[in-house]
Amino acid sequence: MAKLKSLAAMPYYVVLIYIIAGLLGAGYFHTRSFLVLDVLLYAAAFSCILHSGRIMLLPVHVLLLVFTVMYWISAVWAVDLEQAVLEAAKISSLLPLSLLFATLSSEQRDRVWSAWAWCGAALTLWGLVFGLFREGRLESTLGYANSYAVITAAAIAAGWRAYQLSGYKRYWLACVVSSGGLLLSGSRAVIILAVIGAVLYVGITGQNKKIAIMGALTAAVLLVGGIALIVWVGGAAYREIAWNAPEFTLRRIYWNDALQLWRKHWLLGVGGGGWAVLYPSVFVKYAHQQYFQVALDTGILGGLTFIAMITSSLWAGLRRGHTGRSTLLAIILFGIHIAFDIELAYPLIFGLFIMLLTGAEAEGFSARPVRISRRTGAVTALPVLCAIVAFTWLTLGYNRLAGGESQMLRKDWHKAEQSLLGADKALPWSHETHYQLAALYSAIARDKGDAIYMDKAVQEMQTASDMIPENRNYKAMLKQAEKQQE
């Protein structure tokens, strides 16, 4: 009996692990090691479905399946095969996460959002203690202030919801701490949307006098914090809230170029990561507009599927009437912000968005559980097993690559070479392994003064450049290496 209860609670704890791991170490998601999480999510989702013998199918699940398949298919003609595979692997985590979240009861979903409130506050304190600022803006573990701001804004909303459901005033503390973090992030777009959202929330939900007083107190805290921030960092970020601000000017350039590129590849797209290769600047990895980004990655079908996911959940919120207004507002605000930034590049935040969509549909649609027979389970087991094996393979391959990079830093040349050659065998499509091998042989040539290793470095750089001909950075490095060889 205890074993059955633990299996029934598995989805809830897996979702918590997903959130906490991402908040405490965003690099865990932002780099290649997120592949480990894919293995966990697919194994957990399949185990839970087999255990319960049923699956709660929602429109978002069907659309997510199509969305994921589109990312994998686009890798076939991708400009950068390696990055396309990694982008598809990041997207692949969303379907099992949504399936797990849909199996939760409404009480368990409320507990997840309550946990998010505390995680956002903890993330803020973590960033303050360790001074995780860049250019005067708090980034905490995310390494990107705007994405961190999205997490804190969600934490404020989650904390307020938890207070309303439980009546526990301790959630006020979580909201105040996260509010301070939001201000310190200096994210103008998120702050403006958060303020607009708060005003609209009070209006559409008809809050009582007590809540209005709490809102006034919160506004006072935000005002005092804003004044303190202006005194502390000079308030440069807040003085530039305008359409012609430097960041918005750059974004308009990105969007215009993305539109021109999409017009050339509107049907099939350029595959995940293709924008970073084809865009003139080697420093811009994303188009800073999620709708353009998806359409560029997967073509018109992927873009329409992404929009359909949002539309379906909005419809579910409308079906709930008055009780669905707050969720509806959250989805709309989220949908507006991803038209200005790249926070969904972080699977954690993309996961937050998908959980929001899934929760809206779980409450807004009368979904009936689909029974899973033994035969259906056996048929489903094959693709799930293939996914688990594939993600495990990718994890081991990229671990060898990361090991080789670490050994290079320690000047352990022999072990570094063995690790990188092993990574090349496991990941034959990876141009990065050849780039790292070129860096290794170049370092050995400088260390030992052996021209043979410089020849090897040029060969590896040539291989990397041949694998991704459009990469201007590789071409420049190859020319530089050839000059050193002479």
Side-chain angles (χ1 to χ4, degrees), residues 121-350:
L123 194 65
T124 299
L125 295 176
W126 185 277
L128 291 173
V129 170
F130 291 99
L132 301 180
F133 289 81
R134 181 160 59 96
E135 298 179 356
R137 300 175 66 184
L138 182 60
E139 296 183 332
S140 197
T141 61
L142 271 289
Y144 186 56
N146 291 345
S147 294
Y148 162 70
V150 170
I151 287 178
T152 55
I156 295 169
W160 185 253
R161 174 182 171 83
Y163 163 69
Q164 286 189 301
L165 292 174
S166 66
Y168 295 141
K169 295 182 180 180
R170 60 173 176 260
Y171 287 108
W172 296 0
L173 176 62
C175 290
V176 170
V177 173
S178 293
S179 298
L182 176 59
L183 282 170
L184 290 171
S185 73
S187 179
R188 292 156 291 186
V190 178
I191 292 172
I192 291 172
L193 287 174
V195 172
I196 292 174
V199 172
L200 291 176
Y201 174 78
V202 172
I204 66 177
T205 56
Q207 299 298 313
N208 58 31
K209 187 178 295 185
K210 180 180 179 181
I211 292 180
I213 293 173
M214 278 300 304
L217 290 174
T218 303
V221 171
L222 290 175
L223 181 60
V224 171
I227 294 173
L229 182 65
I230 291 172
V231 173
W232 184 15
V233 302
Y238 292 98
R239 288 198 300 271
E240 294 178 347
I241 301 178
W243 181 246
N244 291 323
E247 288 186 12
F248 282 116
T249 301
L250 278 176
R251 276 166 169 72
R252 293 204 304 274
I253 294 173
Y254 300 154
W255 300 339
N256 180 66
D257 291 339
L259 178 60
Q260 300 305 318
L261 185 60
W262 182 75
R263 285 176 176 173
K264 297 178 182 178
H265 305 275
W266 66 272
L267 182 59
L268 300 177
V270 296
W275 160 264
V277 176
L278 298 177
Y279 189 69
S281 172
V282 297
F283 302 106
V284 181
K285 293 184 177 180
Y286 299 96
H288 285 73
Q289 216 273 22
Q290 193 63 40
Y291 303 100
F292 269 145
Q293 188 67 55
V294 170
L296 280 170
D297 288 348
T298 60
I300 186 67
L301 180 58
L304 291 175
T305 303
F306 181 65
I307 293 173
M309 280 195 296
I310 300 174
T311 304
S312 175
S313 297
L314 289 174
W315 174 242
L318 287 171
R319 283 169 55 91
R320 292 177 60 200
H322 180 78
T323 57
R325 290 179 181 178
S326 57
T327 302
L328 195 66
L329 177 61
I331 295 173
I332 291 173
L333 292 174
F334 216 134
I336 291 173
H337 191 258
I338 61 177
F340 292 89
D341 221 326
I342 59 170
E343 63 265 22
L344 296 192
Y346 291 82
L348 169 65
I349 303 180
F350 210 156

